[in-house]
Amino acid sequence: FCFDWARENIDRYGQPTVQHLEIVLLSVAIGFVVAFALALLAHRTRWLQPPLLATTGVLYTIPSIAFFFLLLPITGRGRDTAIIALSAYTLQIIYRNTMLGLDNVPSSAKEAARGMGYTDRQILWRVELPLATPEIIAGLRIAVVSTIAIATLAVFIGGGGLGTQIYGGGN
């Protein structure tokens, strides 16, 4: 790493880096809230699991540039379009990992909690979610990494970020 180069070029990459991080953090936060809520709903209503998995899977398979351009007539050029598309891409990853984590909680742990008089809500928040946390965090990590990569393409719809330096040549 060359600190002299970084010091000389901070003005070129500082603002795009901040824009990139904002886009990624907002997208992952929105995606996490939506995917986590869908996973909790599907965990309690088992018949919702396959349709929600299929729907998030379909959204995930849309090519990113095409997704950006499909949203343009609705949301216009800019950061909002990028955030909506990137949030949709995180849904599949976070939803699937949250469901996997909740499904992998040992039934003996749930039965022990039930034997101690816990309600279904208490079992969810005090037993299932703490035991599912490692898999949920793993999904979140994967979502963050993939969103950082895809966010670079936001330059094509005027979303800013580090794609401006890559696509624009960085001079």
Side-chain angles (χ1 to χ4, degrees):
F1 186 77
C2 182
F3 289 103
D4 291 333
W5 182 89
R7 187 174 47 256
E8 292 170 10
N9 291 287
I10 191 71
D11 57 327
R12 276 182 33 201
Y13 292 98
Q15 183 61 26
T17 301
V18 170
Q19 289 175 342
H20 202 84
L21 290 174
E22 287 174 353
I23 291 169
V24 169
L25 292 175
L26 283 170
S27 300
V28 172
I30 292 168
F32 180 79
V33 168
V34 172
F36 189 73
L38 291 175
L40 291 181
L41 179 66
H43 183 63
R44 292 290 172 222
T45 315
R46 292 285 184 189
W47 65 269
L48 280 175
Q49 284 183 3
L52 288 175
L53 186 63
T55 302
T56 59
V58 166
L59 289 173
Y60 192 72
T61 60
I62 299 171
S64 53
I65 293 178
F67 204 162
F68 289 145
F69 288 120
L70 285 172
L71 288 173
L72 280 178
I74 301 165
T75 58
R77 291 178 54 85
R79 190 173 94 154
D80 293 343
T81 303
I83 290 170
I84 292 169
L86 294 171
S87 296
Y89 281 120
T90 64
L91 294 178
Q92 169 76 10
I93 300 164
I94 297 170
Y95 172 80
R96 187 176 22 146
N97 274 53
T98 303
M99 287 307 304
L100 186 64
L102 290 171
D103 289 343
N104 285 338
V105 172
S107 58
S108 59
K110 292 186 273 190
E111 289 302 319
R114 205 168 267 106
M116 291 176 19
Y118 282 19
T119 63
D120 284 342
R121 180 173 289 174
Q122 289 173 322
I123 292 171
L124 175 68
W125 291 101
R126 294 183 182 175
V127 177
E128 291 177 309
L129 284 174
L131 292 174
T133 298
E135 289 171 356
I136 295 170
I137 297 298
L140 192 58
R141 287 174 54 196
I142 295 166
V144 168
V145 169
S146 67
T147 304
I148 288 171
I150 298 170
T152 307
L153 300 174
V155 67
F156 294 119
I157 47 128
L162 288 170
T164 58
Q165 290 299 316
I166 295 169
Y167 185 68
N171 290 338

